[in-house]
Amino acid sequence: MGQGLWRVARNQQLQHQGYSGQGYLTREHGRRIATNNVSSTSHRKQAQGGIDIYHLLKTKKSKEQEGFINLEMLPPELSFTILSYLNATDLCLASCVWQDLANDELLWQGLCKSTWGHCSIYNKNPPLGFSFRKLYMQLDEGSLTFNANPDEGVNYFMSKGILDDSPKEIAKFIFCTRTLNWKKLRIYLDERRDVLDDLVTLHNFRNQFLPNALREFFRHIHAPEERGEYLETLITKFSHRFCACNPDLMRELGLSPDAVYVLCYSLILLSIDLTSPHVKNKMSKREFIRNTRRAAQNISEDFVGHLYDNIYLIGHVAA
C-alpha cells in the first residue's frame, strides 16, 4: 500500500518536471510547446473577436509573482468596474498603487451620488479646479457637521456651493441622503417647517396601503418619541399628502384628510399596544374595529379589519 502511494506521488512529480507518457521532455521544450499553443490560441481568439488569452495569462502570471492583479494590465473598463466596488477609504488606498485609475473622476462621481443622491452643485457648471474627489470630502465633512449641529451643517454646504439656500433644495438633499443622524434631523425639521413641507411633497403614496405608506413616511421623517404638537403636524401633513396621491381611492372609500388623520392615530396606538412588552392585554381585532368606527363612522368594517391585520403581521408603523 505504501509503495503504491509512493509511485503515484513520484509519477505526479515527474509529470510536473516534464515527463509524459510518451517519453521525457525537457522543461525548455515543454515551455516552447506551451508558448506556441498559447500564441495560436490567442491568434484564433483575436481573429474571432474574443478575449486576448495571452494577455490574461500574462496578467495571471503577474498575479502569481506579485501577489495581486495589476489593474493597469487589464482593459480600462474592467479596471474601473473592479474599483467601483470600493468605498472611499479603500479607493484612497488603491490610489497609492494605481494613482491614475483610482483618482478617476467617474469613480468619485459614483461614490458621491450613491451616498448623497441630490446636491445643487450636480446641476451646475463645475467651477474651475472642481473634482468629485474633493466634493466627496466636503460632503462627508458637511454630514459630520450636520450630525453635530444641523444649522452649521447646512450653512457649511451652502458656503461650499454644494446646496442652494432654498427649502426645496434642502428638502431634496435630505430626502436623498441616508448619512444624516435622524435625531438631529428631527430637531432640524421641527424648526424648519418650510423644509418639512417640501420634504412631504417629495413622497409618492399612490396605490399604497395606508399602513405601508405611513411606514415609508416615518422612515424618512422620524416620529417624535412622545405625543405632541410636532407629531400632530406630521400626521396632518401625511394625511393631506396621502389623499392627494390617491384621489380615486379616497372617493371610493369615502375618506377625507380628517378621516385619514383618525386612522393614522389609531394605527400608531395599535402599534404601541401590540408591540409593547408592557401591555399585557392586547387589543383585539373586534375592539380595534369598534373604537375606530366610533371615531370615523363612514369607514367600512372590512377596511378597518385589514388595517389591524397589517399591523398584527408586519409590525409598528413608526418604528
Side-chain angles (χ1 to χ4, degrees), residues 35-48:
T35 302
N36 293 334
N37 291 337
V38 168
S39 299
S40 61
T41 304
S42 174
H43 289 308
R44 287 199 302 270
K45 288 292 184 179
Q46 289 178 348
Q48 296 171 1

Side-chain angles (χ1 to χ4, degrees), residues 3-16:
Q3 292 180 353
L5 292 176
W6 181 86
R7 292 194 188 95
V8 172
R10 181 58 178 166
N11 290 338
Q12 292 178 348
Q13 182 182 6
L14 292 176
Q15 290 177 4
H16 179 71

Side-chain angles (χ1 to χ4, degrees), residues 195-291:
V195 177
L196 177 61
D197 290 338
D198 286 314
L199 186 58
V200 172
T201 59
L202 293 175
H203 291 81
N204 183 10
F205 302 122
R206 183 170 179 79
N207 296 328
Q208 291 191 31
F209 194 37
L210 180 60
N212 297 333
L214 198 57
R215 287 189 187 92
E216 180 183 334
F217 179 75
F218 284 129
R219 256 195 302 270
H220 288 94
I221 307 173
H222 292 271
E225 297 175 354
E226 298 178 356
R227 295 186 223 173
E229 185 271 337
Y230 181 56
L231 178 60
E232 294 176 359
T233 300
L234 290 181
I235 297 178
T236 300
K237 293 181 181 298
F238 169 82
S239 302
H240 284 84
R241 182 59 183 168
F242 184 81
C243 292
C245 293
N246 299 281
D248 297 336
L249 179 63
M250 296 301 101
R251 284 194 297 267
E252 180 182 344
L253 297 176
L255 296 178
S256 65
D258 291 338
V260 175
Y261 178 92
V262 172
L263 290 177
C264 290
Y265 242 116
S266 298
L267 290 173
I268 293 174
L269 294 177
L270 177 64
S271 299
I272 297 173
D273 186 273
L274 294 181
T275 59
S276 175
H278 304 292
V279 179
K280 302 301 180 183
N281 298 321
K282 305 296 185 182
M283 184 182 297
S284 66
K285 186 175 182 178
R286 181 173 298 179
E287 291 173 333
F288 177 73
I289 294 174
R290 183 178 65 248
N291 296 337

Side-chain angles (χ1 to χ4, degrees), residues 38 41-42 45-46 51-58:
V38 168
T41 304
S42 174
K45 288 292 184 179
Q46 289 178 348
I51 301 173
D52 186 352
I53 303 299
Y54 176 74
H55 181 74
L56 292 179
L57 289 177
K58 185 178 179 182

